[in-house]
Amino acid sequence: MKIAILLKRILDPEVSPHKFSLEPGATRPSDAGIPKVISPFDENALELALQLREKSPGSTVTAISMGPPETVEILRKALAVTADAAVLVQIETDPGPDAFGTASTLAAALQKTGPFDLVLAGRQAGDWDQGQVGSLVAEMLGFPCVTFVTQASPSGNGLRLQRESENGYDVIDADLPLVLTVTNHPGNVLRLPKVRDVMMANRKPVTTIAASDLAAMSTKIPPLEILALEKPPAVAAAEIVGGRDEQEIAARLVQKLQELKVL
Amino acid sequence: MENIYVLTDAVESRPTRNTLELLGLGHRLAQAAGLKLRAWLPGPARGQAATAVLAAGADEAVILDEPRLDTYQPELWLQALTATASAPAAVILPADSTGRDLAPRLAYRLQSQLFTDAVEVSWSDGAVVAKRPVYGGKAIMTARVAGPVVLTVRAHTASPLAEPKTGGEILREAVQIDEAVVHTRLVEHVEEKTEGVRLEDARVIVSGGRGLGGAEGFAELQKLAAILHAGIGASRGAVDLGWAPPSWQIGQTGKIVSPDLYLAIGISGASQHMAGVASAKTIVAINTDPEAPIFSYARLGVVADYKKVLPHLITALAAALKQ
Ligand SMILES: Cc1cc2nc3c(=O)[nH]c(=O)nc-3n(C[C@H](O)[C@H](O)[C@H](O)COP(=O)(O)OP(=O)(O)OC[C@H]3O[C@@H](n4cnc5c(N)ncnc54)[C@H](O)[C@@H]3O)c2cc1C
């Protein structure tokens, strides 16, 4: 099985709100002083790709990321957890919220470096949170797509999947070729790299393709017209309930809750 | 004339709460834009809710009259929705596991714009203007989307109509289904057993995070939940560690809930988590770290080790609720 995994480099989504700053009129936050990381759901997808390779000997995992040259950092991380190959689709700045544009460039890159039997992506990137690119890539490649997948294993000529649903999960059999978008689950937390593999990763080649050299499908669909990007309104801080000891704190808390009539 | 579409869901003849919200929103948009609101009811089984769907705001209830649409199958549903969307100005889907699954593919097939996870949608100068949280809720984006658009809308962000609407028409559309498009087959649906109250319906929710220190912590929360008749939730931190099942996850990528009381225990208050409780009336936090972001969302806070407070809290609540 030839597996491709789409990775996005994003501002660390765990950064605390007060370090996150927006210039007035800007349509992107300032990235000064905030580390960039692999988007967390892409890490889950990467782990699933590695597990599938283990379950299906002879498979390969190719990590693909679109972004400026520094994006190579996250491709090195993918190589360090033993991805077989890495491809950088180079553009000038980190991709913004134009999902149709991003998906058509990635679809063209997949066609050029493939053909792939399976394409994996996170359910959404932890910056714009749109949850669109994986499914759009599927449409553009003409592949079927299963979203919110947590587990996958080879079955017959295709895959047997678990897909998260509102109150449990669905077991789904899917044919290849296929696109999956992946959501978090205790079974797909990304493994830690081995020291030796980190060193090897620095020596592995990363193929660079200029996005402008790709025959990206043109879409008639214009990007969103962003009118504003603002911080949400500030909220008042909590009233801290104190006391001599835990027993008194608990009693006072219950009293406050009764006063607020929420019990 | 162009139409606004809403994808509806129902249990027998009763539209779901989320459907009522989307129809309320669709009705207001259609009124503002001077367009017609058409509601899709996929499969004859959902067709039983047609009258209720009209009362909830639709001008036309379109029953997609094909029994194979009764159960959700994305490839067949996409085929039916694409075929029956006539002159769509806007298509409104719920931001749940069905709507989020369909929206990008439907937008692509209708060659329309796409706006996901909207929390506010209005009509202004011939176009949809919508807001959504981005960067895990650290920012709010407002965008104008001219031309046809597929939207997903978060639960609890739009209100159902206050008064039932009268009139409207029920249409049955025979849809041609081609099974050759099916490449994904449902083998089994596994429902997780939830003891006690469902999170979506819960007036009170007790929720635990990484600060609980282990699965045993959730056993303690169960005791508290039993006294309060509460649902139990979890942060992604706790779910990833396997302490709580994924269906307990609350937040932007978990469940969006709207209880009167939300007790967050050992949860730091990451913006992505808080996105799931934006419409909770009262948030109470127990956390050892006085600097934890959760205290800037909560109404009441306790800075303490939950293990020391919880037993006293359970006793005090049991006594208070007996009266
Ligand atoms: C795209 C994206 C989507 C996400 N979606 C979600 C989502 O839907 N839901 C979600 O929850 N998260 C989500 N996250 C993850 C989120 O950013 C946080 O990582 C997560 O919520 C942290 O979980 P936590 O609060 O349990 O853990 P931590 O942040 O580790 O917090 C643990 C807290 O427990 C406290 N504590 C420790 N010991 C004790 C004790 N004995 N007593 C009391 N308190 C104690 C600590 O002080 C700390 O504040 C998402 C992230 C991304 C990037």
Side-chain angles (χ1 to χ4, degrees), chain B residues 84-267:
Chain B
T84 55
S86 99
V91 174
I92 302 173
L93 309 176
D96 62 9
S97 71
T98 302
R100 285 168 168 164
D101 191 37
L102 296 170
R105 291 185 272 177
L106 188 58
Y108 187 77
R109 291 178 198 202
L110 297 174
Q111 285 291 296
S112 73
Q113 301 229 49
L114 176 57
F115 193 97
T116 44
D117 271 74
V119 294
E120 209 180 293
V121 185
S122 57
W123 186 271
S124 152
D125 282 338
V128 165
V129 172
K131 282 185 197 286
R132 61 153 302 157
V134 293
Y135 285 86
K138 292 189 193 77
I140 309 289
M141 168 172 92
T142 309
R144 183 171 183 275
V145 224
V149 54
V150 172
L151 297 143
T152 63
V153 177
R154 272 199 198 162
H156 306 299
T157 60
S159 36
L161 289 194
E163 294 292 326
K165 183 186 75 63
T166 52
E169 205 179 338
I170 299 174
L171 308 171
R172 285 181 184 274
E173 277 202 48
V175 272
Q176 299 296 325
I177 291 294
D178 175 8
E179 300 238 17
V181 300
V182 173
H183 293 284
T184 65
R185 291 161 298 275
L186 181 67
V187 179
E188 187 190 0
H189 174 71
V190 181
E191 197 75 20
E192 244 153 38
K193 273 208 290 290
T194 38
E195 284 158 42
V197 191
R198 268 164 45 100
L199 283 171
E200 291 88 332
D201 307 329
R203 303 309 336 154
V204 180
I205 293 174
V206 297
S207 196
R210 215 142 38 185
L212 292 192
E216 328 78 63
F218 278 91
E220 291 300 305
L221 285 204
Q222 303 261 17
K223 293 183 199 158
L224 182 62
I227 293 177
L228 289 168
H229 303 290
I232 301 189
S235 70
R236 172 171 170 175
V239 169
D240 281 352
L241 289 161
W243 301 346
S247 62
W248 290 12
Q249 184 170 317
I250 286 177
Q252 159 187 261
T253 53
K255 289 206 164 67
I256 307 269
V257 293
S258 149
D260 292 335
L261 174 61
Y262 187 73
L263 262 159
I265 305 180
I267 292 179

Side-chain angles (χ1 to χ4, degrees), chain A:
Chain A
M1 199 167 14
K2 272 198 80 177
I3 306 170
I5 155 82
L6 305 177
L7 299 174
K8 187 177 187 191
R9 191 180 71 126
I10 63 165
L11 282 192
D12 184 355
E14 306 264 342
V15 69
S16 75
H18 69 266
K19 286 208 186 115
F20 178 89
S21 74
L22 286 168
E23 297 296 324
T27 52
R28 290 174 182 238
S30 142
D31 55 5
I34 304 178
K36 292 195 175 164
V37 298
I38 304 181
S39 180
F41 290 115
D42 299 354
E43 288 196 348
N44 300 123
L46 174 56
E47 175 60 30
L48 213 58
L50 298 170
Q51 291 177 7
L52 274 170
R53 186 184 61 185
E54 281 150 18
K55 293 176 195 164
S56 173
S59 300
T60 57
V61 172
T62 303
I64 302 181
S65 187
M66 177 172 139
E70 311 85 83
T71 307
V72 85
E73 294 157 21
I74 68 162
L75 290 170
R76 295 261 174 241
K77 285 193 183 144
L79 291 169
V81 289
T82 73
D84 300 283
V87 177
L88 171 66
V89 182
Q90 199 173 311
I91 52 172
E92 274 169 30
T93 51
D94 289 316
D98 174 19
F100 284 95
T102 302
S104 60
T105 305
L106 287 170
L110 286 160
Q111 273 164 339
K112 189 179 167 104
T113 52
F116 292 100
D117 306 296
L118 179 66
V119 179
L120 292 156
R123 62 175 284 179
Q124 72 193 60
D127 49 7
W128 290 96
D129 285 321
Q130 297 193 111
Q132 305 177 353
V133 167
S135 307
L136 289 175
V137 165
E139 287 293 296
M140 291 170 184
L141 294 175
F143 288 10
C145 176
V146 183
T147 56
F148 310 135
V149 172
T150 56
Q151 305 279 282
S153 37
S155 160
N157 293 324
L159 295 179
R160 173 153 293 192
L161 310 166
Q162 277 190 24
R163 175 182 192 264
E164 197 176 295
S165 68
E166 253 73 43
N167 289 305
Y169 61 89
D170 292 336
V171 179
I172 291 172
D173 279 344
D175 302 336
L176 300 173
L178 179 68
V179 173
L180 302 178
T181 79
V182 178
T183 193
N184 67 297
H185 182 272
N188 64 26
V189 177
L190 182 61
R191 62 194 64 189
L192 292 171
K194 299 198 178 83
V195 178
R196 191 183 53 111
D197 291 333
V198 175
M199 292 186 324
M200 299 266 279
N202 290 326
R203 275 181 253 140
K204 282 195 196 167
V206 172
T207 309
T208 300
I209 306 175
S212 51
D213 288 347
L214 288 168
M217 243 166 286
S218 66
T219 68
K220 288 186 301 231
I221 304 155
L224 296 175
E225 184 194 335
I226 300 182
L227 300 179
L229 192 65
E230 301 154 309
K231 286 208 170 193
V235 275
E239 174 190 343
I240 300 295
V241 181
R244 271 190 320 262
D245 55 16
E246 280 82 8
Q247 189 173 3
E248 191 178 84
I249 293 174
R252 285 199 183 150
L253 181 59
V254 172
Q255 195 192 340
K256 297 259 181 211
L257 291 173
Q258 284 178 315
E259 284 165 19
L260 289 170
K261 298 195 166 50
V262 287
L263 287 181

Side-chain angles (χ1 to χ4, degrees), chain B residues 291-303:
Chain B
E291 303 293 319
I294 186 83
F295 290 124
S296 54
Y297 295 94
R299 173 78 187 263
L300 297 173
V302 171
V303 181

